[in-house]
Amino acid sequence: MNHNKIACIGEMLIDFVCTDIGIDLKNGENFLKKAGGAPANVAIAINRSGGQAKLATKVGLDPFGDFLMETLRPDNIDMSGLARSITPTTLAFVALQSDGERDFTFCRGADAELAWQDLPNDFLDDVGIVHFGAATGLLDGELYSTYRRLLQEAPQRNIIISFDPNYRDGLWGDNPQEFITRCRPWFHQADIVKVSEEELAFLTGEKTNEKGCEQLHQAGVSYVTVTCGHRGTWLSHRSGRQQLVPSIAIASIDSTGAGDAFIGALLQQIAKPDCQFDNYDHMQKAVLWANVCGALTCTRFGAIDAIPHAAEVNTCLDREA
């Protein structure tokens, strides 16, 4: 059996995006319904980049849940791990600031209930990479238990582990140290960790990317990718090799989903048969490709709607060459 699929686990939700640009949620009045959730965004990016994603999530038996399932179908996401619940679908409200950054608040619902027994017995049989997007996955609930069980199962099957802490003040603002504590088992097991510069400083207490990455490598991480906005991505390997992989110049209008598009595209590149995960040069090329995918996502409004297809990324790279 081929083990070329990439499993993504966590929330799929409705983003209600405030269309009053530059106004926070307190003062926003107009909202647009969009499909979202970091693991779902990553799964879409994987498939649009030419890979094969399967998604483990839970949505409500409500119109929002129906809408989310219909959103996945055109991209041929494997939905064998998608469950339904009488609990309403999770909702997120997002305000976009004038610089393209975001203001979040969550109304958590069905995603919290995803239990290990909701997954098919053969869910991991054709999986080569499992990606944990921790926006809500480390909060108390059944999903957190499923995360921990999956973290135990993956190494026993020689599955590559990808982890994106995806820290949100709105979820952990009262106890940020608990979030850091809950991340540690993933740092011990993860083969690749994706963080922003702000997250790296927050998680490690270090002021430079070099020192922050060194701390994660000491914990057990093989590769750390630090997204640095328009500058590109800092790629660091436990061997000591590290560099800034440049991005492309774009006019950013909405950064929602850009990090998810980046890691989804990167995992798709890693899953290709000709990519050697332990080869730093291969990883550098994969990060360059993923940078373009993330950058192009910033040029459009929304998350899933904005994620580009492989042909567009390749065209952009050809133009830059």
Side-chain angles (χ1 to χ4, degrees):
M1 177 182 291
N2 291 329
H3 295 81
N4 60 349
K5 288 191 176 180
I6 304 167
C8 303
I9 179 171
E11 81 275 6
M12 190 178 190
L13 49 79
I14 300 291
D15 280 323
F16 280 102
V17 182
C18 182
T19 56
D20 304 320
I21 305 299
I23 297 178
D24 59 17
L25 287 176
K26 176 182 176 182
N27 296 302
E29 296 182 351
N30 299 291
F31 292 84
L32 186 65
K33 181 185 71 176
K34 293 285 185 179
N41 294 341
V42 174
I44 293 285
I46 289 166
N47 276 34
R48 290 186 186 173
S49 296
Q52 294 181 297
K54 60 195 313 184
L55 181 64
T57 189
K58 202 164 197 174
V59 298
L61 283 165
D62 53 29
F64 292 141
D66 294 340
F67 169 72
L68 291 173
M69 292 184 69
E70 290 172 6
T71 299
L72 290 175
R73 288 194 179 99
D75 286 285
N76 297 313
I77 304 296
D78 181 334
M79 295 192 289
S80 58
L82 190 150
R84 305 294 298 268
S85 172
I86 59 171
T87 300
T89 299
T90 298
L91 308 179
F93 293 84
V94 188
L96 305 171
Q97 307 305 302
S98 56
D99 59 0
E101 292 304 311
R102 299 155 290 169
D103 178 22
F104 275 100
T105 189
F106 281 87
C107 297
R108 202 173 187 209
D111 81 279
E113 299 177 355
L114 182 69
W116 182 254
Q117 55 266 31
D118 288 323
L119 304 181
N121 291 333
D122 62 352
F123 183 74
L124 293 176
D125 286 357
D126 55 357
V127 169
I129 302 173
V130 61
H131 175 69
F132 297 87
T136 65
L138 301 187
L139 293 168
D140 289 336
E142 201 65 52
L143 177 59
Y144 181 40
S145 298
T146 304
Y147 258 53
R148 289 181 291 176
R149 174 70 181 273
L150 192 54
L151 185 64
Q152 293 174 345
E153 292 281 337
Q156 297 174 19
R157 296 169 177 254
N158 294 316
I159 294 173
I160 292 172
I161 296 172
S162 168
F163 179 55
D164 179 357
N166 218 352
Y167 178 72
R168 295 285 179 262
D169 276 331
L171 299 178
W172 297 92
D174 292 337
N175 195 359
Q177 186 58 46
E178 178 63 19
F179 177 82
I180 296 173
T181 299
R182 294 192 181 194
C183 283
R184 284 176 184 150
W186 275 265
F187 294 147
H188 293 319
Q189 295 281 7
D191 299 288
I192 182 167
V193 167
K194 176 263 173 193
V195 288
S196 67
E197 287 187 294
E198 295 78 13
E199 285 172 329
L200 183 65
F202 164 69
L203 290 166
T204 66
E206 299 290 353
K207 295 181 179 180
T208 67
N209 290 341
E210 292 90 338
K211 289 290 187 181
C213 290
E214 181 181 342
Q215 187 178 130
L216 294 185
H217 292 315
Q218 289 174 352
V221 181
S222 295
Y223 284 101
V224 182
T225 60
V226 187
T227 52
C228 306
H230 70 277
R231 301 196 330 271
T233 299
W234 184 260
L235 173 63
S236 179
H237 186 248
R238 63 186 174 189
S239 66
R241 290 191 68 180
Q242 49 190 293
Q243 70 182 102
L244 182 69
V245 182
S247 187
I248 57 171
I250 52 103
S252 177
I253 64 170
D254 179 8
S255 64
T256 304
D260 301 329
F262 166 83
I263 189 61
L266 178 60
L267 295 179
Q268 180 273 330
Q269 292 288 299
I270 293 170
K272 293 169 67 173
D274 60 349
C275 181
Q276 299 173 22
F277 183 72
D278 289 328
N279 186 315
Y280 183 88
D281 293 330
H282 283 208
M283 282 294 291
Q284 185 269 336
K285 292 177 181 177
V287 169
L288 180 64
W289 203 93
N291 278 350
V292 175
C293 186
L296 290 174
T297 302
C298 293
T299 65
R300 304 185 184 107
F301 194 62
I304 286 176
D305 290 346
I307 297 170
H309 290 78
E312 186 178 358
V313 177
N314 287 329
T315 298
C316 189
L317 280 169
D318 290 342
R319 191 165 57 240
E320 293 287 318

